[in-house]
Amino acid sequence: MFKYYLIVFLISMVPLIELRGAIPVGFAMIQAALNLEEGAILPPFYIVTIYLTAIVGNMLPVPVIFFFARKFLEWGKDKRFIGKICTFFLVKGKSAGEKLTGKAGRGGVFIALLLFVGIPLPGTGAWTGTLAASLLDMKAKDTALAVMLGVLLAGLIMMAGSFGLFTALFSVIR
């Protein structure tokens, strides 16, 4: 089982994939390893350990991103081989930061960052949110708390999706 949790941990650290990929993959791998039928619910122990493993893996890069990514990207934007990708990430992070500030105002940036990270859509997540906070010069403590709460929320949403909760809700609505 350790190798499955290691895979969940590593997937949750990958930018743009993060929890959106790690939790469903974790559910599928553990379900297959336990030889459970399709649609069977995992025992609570496995659900909790997949969730916690993905959360820890997703949060691990946050301090590195906050303190070093901006400096690296600004240093690299003029370099021959990495200039385009560094500029892309600077523009993407600045754009995300401006959206957060524009929608929430300066005082609501904490909540906006939490929701930006917490709603698991493509292009949102701990990596982009932390870079945006860094480019907005948010305090490290505020960034860490908003991103952590957002990651917890995104994890819960992905867990609900992995359980089939959204499919069940949509079938009732039809």
Side-chain angles (χ1 to χ4, degrees):
M1 286 291 175
F2 177 77
K3 70 179 178 180
Y4 301 125
Y5 290 111
L6 181 61
I7 291 169
V8 168
F9 181 80
L10 294 173
I11 291 173
S12 69
M13 291 175 48
V14 176
L16 302 175
I17 297 174
E18 302 179 31
L19 296 172
R20 293 166 213 71
I23 289 176
V25 166
F27 269 59
M29 286 188 309
I30 301 294
Q31 191 171 15
L34 295 175
N35 293 320
L36 296 177
E37 294 179 19
E38 188 175 329
I41 297 177
L42 288 174
F45 170 79
Y46 296 107
I47 294 168
V48 171
T49 52
I50 290 168
Y51 178 75
L52 293 175
T53 303
I55 296 298
V56 171
N58 199 204
M59 286 301 296
L60 194 62
V62 167
V64 175
I65 297 164
F66 185 81
F67 291 113
F68 300 111
R70 180 180 181 177
K71 292 174 184 168
F72 173 79
L73 294 173
E74 288 175 353
W75 170 82
K77 69 182 178 186
D78 299 326
K79 305 299 183 247
R80 181 175 175 189
F81 294 109
I82 61 172
K84 287 183 181 179
I85 192 78
C86 288
T87 301
F88 169 80
F89 283 117
L90 280 170
V91 169
K92 176 84 169 156
K94 185 174 171 74
S95 170
E98 288 172 354
K99 281 183 185 177
L100 288 175
T101 306
K103 290 182 179 179
R106 195 67 183 163
V109 173
F110 179 88
I111 298 297
L113 179 60
L114 185 156
L115 293 174
F116 180 81
V117 173
I119 298 173
L121 295 171
T124 68
W127 282 76
T128 310
T130 303
L131 181 58
S134 166
L135 294 171
L136 287 172
D137 294 320
M138 283 183 67
K139 294 179 182 175
K141 185 177 176 181
D142 293 341
T143 299
L145 184 58
V147 170
M148 179 62 167
L149 292 172
V151 166
L152 291 171
L153 175 61
L156 290 174
I157 292 170
M158 290 310 302
M159 296 273 289
S162 295
F163 280 133
L165 180 65
F166 300 120
T167 305
L169 287 175
F170 290 133
S171 68
V172 169
I173 293 171
R174 283 195 229 169

